[in-house]
Amino acid sequence: AFVSCKKEEQEKPKVIYETQPKSQAKPQVDTSKADIADLPVHMEGTNFLIFPVGDLNFFKKQGYASSKSDKNISYTISNYGEYEITGYLDNLKFQEIGKDTIYALTDKNVLIQSATYLKNHADKTKQQLLVYMLQDIDTNKDNKLDINDIKSLYISSIDGKNFTKLTEDFQELIDWKYVPAKNGIYFRAVEDTNKNGEFDSNDKIVYSFVNLTSKEWKAEEFQVN
């Protein structure tokens, strides 16, 4: 379970299509947020510590607080399962073991829901990678980035470098799967082909494959039907 349920998940994200250039259509940064970091996570066999960074959670005795004037605070930002960090995270920070420098995954405004270490792939190929599910565009144009926006798929090396988007903008990630026999990731996404702002049965399901051993991580679309 995620550490926070204050952001109720909408079953189908909505899209409001842009009338301005994408470079200008950026979600506003919430300056009232009180970001803190959890203690570091170490993925077995790697040489890096990962610090999850997110907003403080504020509680009332009978539920979540409506304002940050309430004194009941949870300092837990994330959960860690088997090779996976989950939560509602604003960033991840990395530190190489034996060094003092700590640096951020990205300077973009994102909401990271999960970061998964591909342990089986690392054992097989010695290539250490992280796969992320996150929001990176304010697709419903409400001036905030949350789980009601479209979910995207990203990948990076274990040190957070080469942070790369795999899904196309305005394609909603459905799911993804690592297939050891192919040394790659398969994923499905839905595209709002009729441009009605909803993802429904009339829209196109896009199937893609990423060869992780290639010099460039690039999603290649393929047909199933």
Side-chain angles (χ1 to χ4, degrees):
F2 284 158
V3 295
S4 170
C5 61
K6 65 183 176 181
K7 306 177 180 72
E8 294 183 359
E9 185 166 5
Q10 182 173 303
E11 187 171 330
K12 293 181 180 179
K14 293 184 178 180
V15 181
I16 298 176
Y17 292 98
E18 301 180 33
T19 57
Q20 58 178 322
K22 186 170 67 174
S23 61
Q24 298 176 17
K26 296 179 180 179
Q28 296 178 357
V29 176
D30 186 355
T31 56
S32 67
K33 294 178 71 172
D35 276 352
I36 65 169
D38 270 348
L39 294 176
V41 170
H42 178 239
M43 304 294 188
E44 179 186 345
T46 73
N47 200 40
F48 289 85
L49 302 179
I50 304 173
F51 295 82
V53 176
D55 194 17
L56 284 174
N57 295 311
F58 294 81
F59 297 88
K60 289 180 179 178
K61 290 183 179 179
Q62 298 300 322
Y64 281 86
S66 58
S67 73
K68 295 184 178 181
S69 61
D70 296 85
K71 300 301 182 182
N72 297 308
I73 302 174
S74 169
Y75 291 96
T76 300
I77 301 303
S78 64
N79 292 307
Y80 178 61
E82 188 175 11
Y83 306 115
E84 184 174 61
I85 301 169
T86 58
Y88 296 107
L89 308 174
D90 297 326
N91 216 327
L92 296 175
K93 293 195 174 183
F94 296 81
Q95 182 181 30
E96 187 173 358
I97 294 173
K99 296 185 178 181
D100 295 330
T101 303
I102 298 176
Y103 56 90
L105 171 68
T106 180
D107 58 2
K108 297 179 181 179
N109 188 18
V110 296
L111 180 68
I112 301 169
Q113 292 191 38
S114 67
T116 305
Y117 175 48
L118 299 182
K119 179 66 164 57
N120 290 342
H121 183 71
D123 290 344
K124 181 181 178 183
T125 67
K126 307 304 180 184
Q127 184 184 31
Q128 298 179 337
L129 304 174
L130 290 168
V131 177
Y132 309 82
M133 292 192 298
L134 57 83
Q135 280 79 12
D136 64 344
I137 302 175
D138 176 23
T139 53
N140 61 7
K141 300 296 179 290
D142 62 356
N143 289 321
K144 60 183 179 181
L145 200 60
D146 57 28
I147 61 172
N148 294 322
D149 295 308
I150 286 178
K151 182 165 55 181
S152 300
L153 188 67
Y154 276 73
I155 191 170
S156 80
S157 53
I158 191 61
D159 57 1
K161 302 295 177 62
N162 301 317
F163 188 50
T164 303
K165 186 171 185 175
L166 299 178
T167 47
E168 297 290 334
D169 289 349
F170 299 101
Q171 286 184 356
E172 166 82 348
L173 176 69
I174 300 172
D175 52 13
W176 67 273
K177 183 178 183 179
Y178 170 68
V179 179
K182 293 282 288 184
N183 290 325
I185 290 173
Y186 286 88
F187 66 88
R188 296 184 297 172
V190 58
E191 183 176 329
D192 182 24
T193 48
N194 58 12
K195 296 295 187 290
N196 67 351
E198 297 282 353
F199 294 115
D200 51 44
S201 59
N202 296 316
D203 293 321
K204 177 185 177 182
I205 303 297
V206 179
Y207 297 84
S208 300
F209 172 74
V210 181
N211 183 349
L212 300 179
T213 60
S214 295
K215 291 183 179 180
E216 181 182 1
W217 296 319
K218 184 178 180 181
E220 300 290 344
E221 185 176 340
F222 64 92
Q223 301 297 323
V224 177
N225 299 324

